[in-house]
Amino acid sequence: MKKNTYDFAVRVSVLAVQGALAAMAFVSMPAFADNEPTVEDLTKPKNTLDVGVTNVSSSSFKFGEYNGLEQSGPNADVNFSLKGGGAWDSEDATRYSLTGTNLGLDTRNLKGEFGQQGKFRFNFGYDELLRNQSDTYQTPYLGNGTNNLTLPTNWLVPTVPALSATGVNARGLSSAVAASPAVVAGHVVAPTAANLATSATLIGTDGPDFHNVNLATKRSRTDAGFDFNIDPQWDVKVSARREDKDGLQPMGTVSRQGAGATQASTEISTIIANPIKTTTDQFNASLNYTGDKSFMTAAYYGSLFKNAYPTVSWQGWAGTTTAPNTISSAPDNQFHQLSVTGGYNFDRTTKLVVDASYGRSTQNQAFYQDSGTPYVPVSSLNGLVVTESLSGRLTLKPIKDLNVAAGYKFYERDDRTPVNTYAFYDDQNPISGTATPSFIAALGLPAGSLGSGNINFNANRPYSQRVNQFNLDGDYTIVPGEKIKLGAESQQKNRYCNGTWIDCVNADSSRENTGRFDWNGNWAEAGVNAHIGYAYSTRNVTQNSSAWLALVPMANVVPTGQTISAYQAMQLSGLSGEGPWAGYNGGAFAGTGLTAAQAAFFYANNGPLANGAYGNANRISELPGLTAYDQTNRDRNKLRASINWQASDKLSLTGSGSYTKDNYYDSTYGLQGVKNLGLTLEGAYVLNEDVAATLYYTYEKGDTNSAGNSFGSNSNALNVNGATAVSGGCFSTVQAKNNNGKIDPCNNWSSDTKDRVDTVGFNLKDKGLMSGKLVVSADILYTLANTDTGMNGGSYVNNPYAGIAGNATSTIAAFYIPATAFPTVTTKTLEFRLNAKYNLDKSQSIRAGYMFARMRSSDYTYDAQQYGGLSGALPTSQQAPNYSIQVVGVGYVYTF
């Protein structure tokens, strides 16, 4: 059974909370204000040098995911801030600053500025961001960190000998699986001594080949800029930035691996360590004018992307052949844009701002080709995308308490990439026989020049989009302290392709209309301000069920031996690529323009359009009623509210909430609906000018409903090993089940995913201890996140004992197994921080801190990555993140 997934706001917020916890791990202690700033503090900039050490109790990639503290042991903690230039009361307008933070970690940051006020300014910067993803990933592959992964020379194809001596089976890497009985030909068979010996050899050889590879990426960014004021009205700005990304990311792959004469070709999965090594150069330049009533900016932006690894290759672990699997990576590309922005104040109440831009994206990297790509008519894509935009916004105040704004935006992404047809085989698919002669002839190639019915004839689809959007907003002050705001927006999207033989987009056009209402109240005397907002939007989409045909141009070519093309068959029958929604035969084509022979060829057994009819090894036509959630009809309700109450000089209370409901009312399958609820309560209490405390709680809940269908093809199969009965499901016999495989309601399924996140936080700060010399802050944060996914539906599974004499279930050919809920995914995080700063004198201080952080998580998706988890997937042994970390830090701060 397949399950669609949808990452909605609450799910994202769970990850955001976890990332924030890691990012907040103390690296440098906060600098508390000792007292109110003096005139000297405000007029004479201070320089600061902060040097210390931070010790981490144990290693954890998850704890150090973004903060650079993934390794146990001491880390240098160095920060500084230098500021200077002409004195505030002098005629020297020169200013400079240099700041560095986290210099001892892989999250270091350095930036500086130098200039003269009103004349020029030069700035530069460098920063790093390390993202640690996994330190439990294991692989047998060699060459990690390069784009050529190879298996050790001693690698043996894993099998489960007791089950099959030749069948590829990654579960054979588990000693528990190898020693367990297996069902063979309907009988439970214990492994023989020979089986166990073979398994021991496999495990003993392949097991030691697995080794740990840390999956992490680092982003390093360097930038510089220069601003020059020509005169009080004109200035020029230029800047450049280089961003390098380097490291390893997990990437799931699926390929068909032939395993020699004694082993059948099978689909296998491999999670490889995908090497990342890219460089992006960005450039900005602008000429700016500012007048008494107007402004204008003319700007250029350029982006150059380069990838050091245009392809990645890895050997298939399930075959005897050493031929590598190869996949392309992101290609080199460029983007250049010119833009003009201008505004004019007609008077104090009326203002117009207009923006226009023109951009060009190009991509012309050479295609990767091998024996699996026998027909590539051009050497590169020659990709070109032109973007144009125009927007304007008029704001005015027709009467004293009313503000009105009207806006229009036009945007077009015009993909002008030439359309070509390419022929390729699925990775490692066997190539034999001859492709359909008429399809070969359509490409202008000699007869017999392309082999195998497994070939794919596909064309690229240059997706384009045109957007027109109108906005109208107004706010009106009812009485002093109360204001209402009304808004309306209408957005029209039209999608198209240039050069495809047929319309290429599933949603040709869509219109989304949105209405908004907001009310704000502010009662200063009572210390209360409140806000309520509501928005309703509806989206209507024009669907095109034949858009997939643009990918397969051979659907417009008559197959050898036929008189009509697949497209003509669809037109004559009035059917989509899924064919008639009917059981086995049954006269579904009566009254259509198809002959019986044509119906039997194009829609055999009332099944989907035959793959061979449009020259594709994989069925790509779409299930009726299944639409992409971002391109289907939808209603959305969104409510927001907040209230703040300053109960007294010491106590303040805040509450806020939001609720969103999306209803995909026209979707039979796919996303059905999404609901998100968020609540926040916060209280702050100031005991005196030195002591303050804050307590807060947040609650987030999300509910996502999806539906699908896992139908099979109709057939007239009568039995399984002579057994004809079906236990459970919607049909009682094998023939009835198979005859109705396409329309069996028991193949429908639905899921309900619920996310819930509870967060409690408390902060206490005292800056008056020891006569104001000691500042102490304590924080505690606890988060509990749960994900529950309920399932309805089920699947038919053949009985391994069908037709086996003497077994109690021998007459049962198949069982219908009802779906059950997935295990709960849980993440619990606890963080406690205690920071202190002691001022030795006005220029020297000592800081110290302690942090305890713990995460406990359980996630069933990691189970499949263990030994014995899946038969067609190589295990990686990755574990759900769990840690318990203590961090201690001390430092010396010198201010001068």
Side-chain angles (χ1 to χ4, degrees):
M1 179 180 297
K2 294 182 179 180
K3 178 181 180 295
N4 291 343
T5 59
Y6 174 70
D7 292 329
F8 51 98
V10 171
R11 183 84 179 194
V12 172
S13 70
V14 177
L15 301 178
V17 168
Q18 296 171 3
L21 289 173
M24 287 192 300
F26 95 31
V27 177
S28 54
M29 297 298 116
F32 299 106
D34 299 332
N35 296 290
E36 292 297 322
T38 65
V39 174
E40 182 182 0
D41 294 331
L42 296 174
T43 57
K44 295 183 178 180
K46 291 185 176 181
N47 301 313
T48 302
L49 176 62
D50 182 341
V51 180
V53 62
T54 300
N55 187 74
V56 183
S57 62
S58 56
S59 299
S60 169
F61 255 41
K62 184 62 180 178
F63 170 75
E65 185 171 6
Y66 294 105
N67 58 35
L69 297 175
E70 72 279 2
Q71 296 295 333
S72 63
N75 296 274
D77 190 0
V78 181
N79 309 274
F80 70 87
S81 176
L82 303 176
K83 298 180 181 179
W88 67 277
D89 55 354
S90 72
E91 296 183 358
D92 186 357
T94 302
R95 298 288 187 273
Y96 70 84
S97 68
L98 184 63
T99 303
T101 58
N102 298 342
L103 298 184
L105 301 173
D106 288 327
T107 56
R108 57 185 57 88
N109 182 292
L110 181 67
K111 60 181 179 180
E113 290 187 3
F114 174 79
Q116 289 186 358
Q117 292 183 4
K119 292 185 178 181
F120 70 90
R121 182 174 68 94
F122 171 74
N123 65 277
F124 67 91
Y126 174 81
D127 69 87
E128 297 178 355
L129 178 63
L130 180 67
R131 194 274 170 101
N132 296 309
Q133 200 157 357
S134 176
D135 58 353
T136 59
Y137 169 84
Q138 293 188 357
T139 179
Y141 283 96
L142 306 175
N144 293 284
T146 73
N147 64 337
N148 185 26
L149 305 179
T150 60
L151 289 166
T153 55
N154 67 342
W155 179 259
L156 300 176
V157 176
T159 63
V160 180
L163 184 65
S164 171
T166 59
V168 175
N169 194 330
R171 300 185 74 224
L173 294 170
S174 165
S175 57
V177 171
S180 298
V183 178
V184 181
H187 298 280
V188 178
V189 177
T192 65
N195 295 152
L196 293 174
T198 301
S199 293
T201 299
L202 290 169
I203 296 171
T205 302
D206 291 347
D209 289 336
F210 284 82
H211 57 282
N212 180 262
V213 175
N214 289 338
L215 302 178
T217 55
K218 179 188 285 189
R219 186 263 294 152
S220 302
R221 186 167 60 192
T222 306
D223 52 43
F226 181 72
D227 303 351
F228 179 73
N229 296 325
I230 301 173
D231 58 34
Q233 292 182 315
W234 292 88
D235 68 84
V236 176
K237 297 181 179 180
V238 295
S239 64
R241 169 179 291 177
R242 166 162 287 191
E243 185 172 284
D244 294 304
K245 292 184 179 179
D246 195 0
L248 298 173
Q249 291 180 339
M251 181 171 71
T253 67
V254 176
S255 58
R256 182 172 290 276
Q257 183 68 42
T262 61
Q263 293 180 321
S265 179
T266 182
E267 286 191 351
I268 63 169
S269 172
T270 313
I271 297 178
I272 65 172
N274 182 40
I276 306 297
K277 193 173 183 62
T278 65
T279 298
T280 304
D281 291 312
Q282 301 178 72
F283 306 93
N284 286 280
S286 65
L287 175 65
N288 309 283
Y289 167 81
T290 303
D292 294 336
K293 301 180 67 175
S294 62
F295 75 91
M296 184 274 296
T297 296
Y300 162 79
Y301 169 76
S303 174
L304 309 178
F305 174 83
K306 294 183 179 180
N307 188 350
Y309 295 131
T311 62
V312 179
S313 299
W314 69 100
Q315 281 184 264
W317 55 267
T320 56
T321 177
T322 59
N325 305 285
T326 302
I327 190 171
S328 297
S329 300
D332 295 353
N333 60 80
Q334 298 185 16
F335 176 69
H336 302 274
Q337 178 179 272
L338 297 174
S339 63
V340 178
T341 302
Y344 185 78
N345 297 329
F346 295 95
D347 53 41
R348 293 178 59 189
T349 63
T350 307
K351 180 179 180 180
L352 176 66
V353 177
V354 177
D355 178 88
S357 68
Y358 174 85
R360 292 171 66 89
S361 300
T362 56
Q363 191 271 100
N364 199 31
Q365 184 164 302
F367 287 134
Y368 169 79
Q369 299 182 55
D370 61 10
S371 60
T373 53
Y375 179 69
V376 180
V378 290
S379 61
S380 63
L381 182 67
N382 293 307
L384 171 62
V385 177
V386 175
T387 57
E388 298 176 310
S389 71
L390 175 66
S391 65
R393 186 170 179 84
L394 177 66
T395 58
L396 61 156
K397 191 171 186 175
I399 60 177
K400 178 182 177 182
D401 295 321
L402 177 64
N403 296 297
V404 178
Y408 167 73
K409 179 179 180 180
F410 168 82
Y411 172 80
E412 183 169 36
R413 181 186 184 277
D414 186 8
D415 193 336
R416 301 179 183 178
T417 303
V419 176
N420 292 290
T421 300
Y422 305 86
F424 64 94
Y425 304 99
D426 289 348
D427 205 8
Q428 302 297 326
N429 238 1
I431 302 172
S432 61
T434 303
T436 304
S438 59
F439 295 163
I440 298 176
L443 297 176
L445 298 177
S449 59
L450 297 178
S452 177
N454 292 323
I455 200 168
N456 300 277
F457 296 96
N458 286 176
N460 60 300
R461 292 170 289 182
Y463 287 114
S464 300
Q465 179 176 267
R466 185 181 298 115
V467 179
N468 286 276
Q469 180 175 302
F470 298 89
N471 299 80
L472 182 62
D473 299 282
D475 63 76
Y476 179 72
T477 301
I478 307 171
V479 296
E482 288 190 55
K483 180 184 290 187
I484 61 170
K485 182 177 181 179
L486 298 175
E489 177 181 296
S490 180
Q491 184 186 82
Q492 174 72 40
K493 288 185 179 181
N494 296 95
R495 304 174 180 88
Y496 62 94
C497 287
N498 295 311
T500 55
W501 75 273
I502 196 171
D503 191 4
C504 74
V505 289
N506 295 319
D508 294 312
S509 64
S510 64
R511 177 176 290 277
E512 184 163 357
N513 297 317
T514 304
R516 301 183 182 89
F517 167 81
D518 287 273
W519 171 86
N520 289 279
N522 186 7
W523 299 275
E525 293 184 359
V528 176
N529 63 74
H531 168 259
I532 297 176
Y534 173 73
Y536 173 77
S537 64
T538 180
R539 181 174 64 200
N540 295 290
V541 183
T542 303
Q543 295 290 340
N544 174 18
S545 61
S546 298
W548 62 276
L549 291 170
L551 178 66
V552 283
M554 295 308 159
N556 199 35
V557 176
V558 178
T560 301
Q562 299 300 312
T563 58
I564 59 174
S565 68
Y567 180 55
Q568 290 172 316
M570 292 173 62
Q571 290 180 307
L572 288 172
S573 65
L575 296 170
S576 70
E578 289 302 324
W581 209 243
Y584 184 78
N585 291 334
F589 296 94
T592 71
L594 295 181
T595 67
Q598 290 169 340
F601 176 81
F602 289 102
Y603 297 105
N605 302 329
N606 289 334
L609 188 66
N611 292 26
Y614 52 85
N616 210 72
N618 306 289
R619 184 165 63 85
I620 60 173
S621 53
E622 297 178 352
L623 181 67
L626 175 63
T627 54
Y629 74 90
D630 62 336
Q631 297 180 14
T632 193
N633 295 339
R634 184 207 66 200
D635 286 342
R636 169 175 288 175
N637 289 273
K638 191 170 185 178
L639 178 66
R640 305 176 310 280
S642 65
I643 184 168
N644 302 297
W645 180 33
Q646 188 67 45
S648 67
D649 291 340
K650 295 184 176 183
L651 178 65
S652 63
L653 301 172
T654 300
S656 63
S658 64
Y659 177 75
T660 302
K661 181 180 180 181
D662 292 350
N663 178 26
Y664 298 85
Y665 56 88
D666 230 14
S667 297
T668 304
Y669 302 114
L671 191 60
Q672 306 290 291
V674 177
K675 291 184 286 188
N676 289 317
L677 173 66
L679 299 172
T680 299
L681 299 174
E682 181 176 341
Y685 185 76
V686 179
L687 181 63
N688 53 48
E689 63 180 9
D690 295 324
V691 182
T694 302
L695 176 66
Y696 61 92
Y697 167 74
T698 64
Y699 171 83
E700 297 173 279
K701 182 180 180 181
D703 193 351
T704 302
N705 302 108
S706 298
N709 187 300
S710 53
F711 73 89
S713 299
N714 296 324
S715 74
N716 200 35
L718 305 179
N719 62 78
V720 176
N721 293 333
T724 60
V726 176
S727 176
C730 296
F731 299 95
S732 60
T733 67
V734 170
Q735 184 177 21
K737 177 181 78 70
N738 291 337
N739 281 179
N740 296 281
K742 189 175 183 180
I743 59 174
D744 187 346
C746 282
N747 285 321
N748 288 322
W749 60 265
S750 63
S751 69
D752 180 14
T753 300
K754 298 182 184 295
D755 279 302
R756 174 171 173 167
V757 185
D758 295 274
T759 302
V760 179
F762 176 74
N763 168 264
L764 176 65
K765 180 165 64 176
D766 189 340
K767 59 180 182 179
L769 298 173
M770 300 182 67
S771 301
K773 289 189 174 183
L774 178 62
V775 181
V776 177
S777 175
D779 296 87
I780 187 167
L781 185 66
Y782 176 76
T783 300
L784 172 62
N786 289 323
T787 298
D788 290 287
T789 302
M791 298 294 304
N792 290 307
S795 297
Y796 292 97
V797 178
N798 282 346
N799 178 15
Y801 301 108
I804 304 301
N807 189 280
T809 63
S810 61
T811 59
I812 299 175
F815 295 94
Y816 182 76
I817 310 298
T820 59
F822 287 96
T824 299
V825 177
T826 300
T827 301
K828 300 176 183 178
T829 55
L830 173 66
E831 180 181 299
F832 172 72
R833 289 179 292 156
L834 180 63
N835 296 327
K837 180 181 179 183
Y838 181 75
N839 296 314
L840 300 172
D841 53 40
K842 293 199 65 173
S843 63
Q844 300 180 86
S845 60
I846 300 294
R847 59 173 175 82
Y850 169 79
M851 177 182 181
F852 173 76
R854 185 179 70 185
M855 171 183 280
R856 295 291 181 265
S857 67
S858 61
D859 190 337
Y860 64 88
T861 59
Y862 286 91
D863 294 344
Q865 301 302 322
Q866 310 311 309
Y867 289 102
L870 296 172
S871 61
L874 199 66
T876 64
S877 300
Q878 288 175 272
Q879 304 292 320
N882 289 277
Y883 60 75
S884 183
I885 304 290
Q886 297 185 71
V887 182
V888 177
V890 294
Y892 169 76
V893 182
Y894 179 63
T895 303
F896 57 98

